[in-house]
């Protein structure tokens, strides 16, 4: 029986195709953040052990400063929290694709190419697979929001390349005067079409020069 008959895109008599783990490269890409952190931590531990054997304490002082300074500032804590939620949302979005029909019959799920913090939550740049569209993601907006422990989800489709979409995860109200950190400016705004009529197309984040 289909897990989600409301948005089931396969026949009612057909079982939900099992999602696979994907290729090795796809798995490495999904776990890139964790792999980089583990690699950095291993390098740091090796450096500290080498310094301890040689009786040098400067590396310990540098590490203590690098950890304590961000933790003691509001900006540092906010930066760590924002990127922590980016990692959580990326994994929860991928889990939603595995648990629903947001994957192909062969079991391949869309690729989350990038995810960055915004003033209201996170925004993910997604490349869909054959057979999946931005409208399919919009149909599963409630499931994505629930999986990411968010308030709501907005989906935008690229104007010229329909295989690309952005999933905007809304967690909170936008603070007055706040600016979006991360790579939100790289996405732009004019190239994306909202899939819900009540969503007004936001202005471009980068001011364009006036003609004439």
């Amino acid at each position: 029986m289909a897990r989600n008959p409301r948005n089931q895109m396969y026949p009612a008599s057909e079982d939900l195709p099992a999602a696979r783990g994907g290729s090795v490269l796809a798995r490495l890409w999904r776990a890139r953040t964790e792999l980089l952190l583990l690699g950095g931590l291993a390098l740091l531990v090796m450096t500290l052990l080498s310094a301890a054997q040689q009786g040098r304490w400067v590396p310990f002082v540098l590490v203590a400063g690098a950890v304590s300074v961000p933790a003691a500032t509001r900006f540092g804590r906010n930066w760590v929290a924002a990127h922590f939620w980016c990692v959580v949302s990326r994994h929860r979005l991928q889990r939603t694709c595995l648990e629903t029909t947001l994957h192909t019959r062969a079991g391949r799920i869309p690729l989350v190419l990038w995810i960055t913090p915004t003033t209201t939550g996170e925004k993910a740049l997604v490349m869909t697979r054959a057979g999946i569209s931005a409208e399919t993601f919009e149909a599963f907006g409630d499931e994505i929001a629930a999986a990411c422990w968010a308030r709501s989800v907005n989906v935008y489709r690229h104007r010229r390349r329909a295989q690309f979409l952005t999933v905007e995860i809304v967690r909170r109200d936008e603070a007055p005067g706040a600016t979006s950190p991360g790579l939100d400016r790289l996405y732009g705004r004019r190239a994306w079409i909202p899939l819900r009529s009540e969503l007004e197309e936001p202005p471009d984040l980068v001011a364009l020069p006036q003609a004439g």
Side-chain angles (χ1 to χ4, degrees):
M1 182 177 179
R3 292 194 181 189
N4 190 343
R6 176 169 57 86
N7 295 322
Q8 172 69 4
M9 64 181 181
Y10 301 110
S13 59
E14 183 178 347
D15 291 335
L16 179 68
R20 299 179 304 176
S23 64
V24 175
L25 290 178
R27 293 181 183 181
L28 291 176
W29 178 257
R30 295 173 197 164
R32 60 189 181 275
T33 303
E34 293 82 353
L35 293 176
L36 288 174
L37 288 176
L38 288 176
L41 181 60
L43 181 61
L44 178 62
V45 170
M46 292 176 60
T47 302
L48 293 178
L49 289 177
S50 177
Q53 292 177 354
Q54 299 176 11
R56 294 185 290 113
W57 297 97
V58 175
F60 290 93
V61 176
L62 294 178
V63 171
V67 173
S68 61
V69 171
T73 61
R74 182 177 181 182
F75 174 81
R77 292 192 299 269
N78 290 342
W79 188 93
V80 172
H83 286 81
F84 167 79
W85 279 110
C86 284
V87 176
V88 171
S89 295
R90 174 162 54 84
H91 283 290
R92 299 300 293 174
L93 181 58
Q94 292 168 347
R95 175 52 57 182
T96 304
C97 294
L98 292 171
E99 295 294 340
T100 63
T101 54
L102 282 172
H103 57 266
T104 65
R105 292 178 182 270
R108 303 174 67 191
I109 67 173
L111 289 176
V112 181
L113 299 178
W114 207 261
I115 186 167
T116 60
T118 65
T119 55
T120 57
E122 300 85 44
K123 180 182 291 185
L125 178 64
V126 179
M127 184 177 71
T128 61
R129 302 287 190 177
I132 302 175
S133 65
E135 286 75 12
T136 310
F137 267 81
E138 175 63 26
F140 282 92
D142 292 339
E143 285 80 2
I144 296 174
C148 296
W149 309 309
R151 179 185 301 177
S152 62
V153 164
N154 302 323
V155 179
Y156 297 84
R157 177 172 56 85
H158 197 274
R159 289 184 181 275
R160 294 181 297 173
R161 299 178 178 85
Q163 74 272 25
F164 294 110
L165 58 96
T166 55
V167 179
E168 186 178 24
I169 301 169
V170 181
R171 298 188 180 278
R172 56 189 175 271
D173 295 329
E174 183 175 354
T179 57
S180 293
L183 295 177
D184 189 57
R185 293 177 180 272
L186 184 63
Y187 294 151
R189 291 297 183 93
R190 296 183 184 275
W192 303 97
I193 302 174
L195 296 186
R196 284 188 292 171
S197 58
E198 65 268 20
L199 293 177
E200 296 182 359
E201 183 178 357
D204 202 335
L205 291 176
V206 181
L208 299 178
Q210 299 293 331

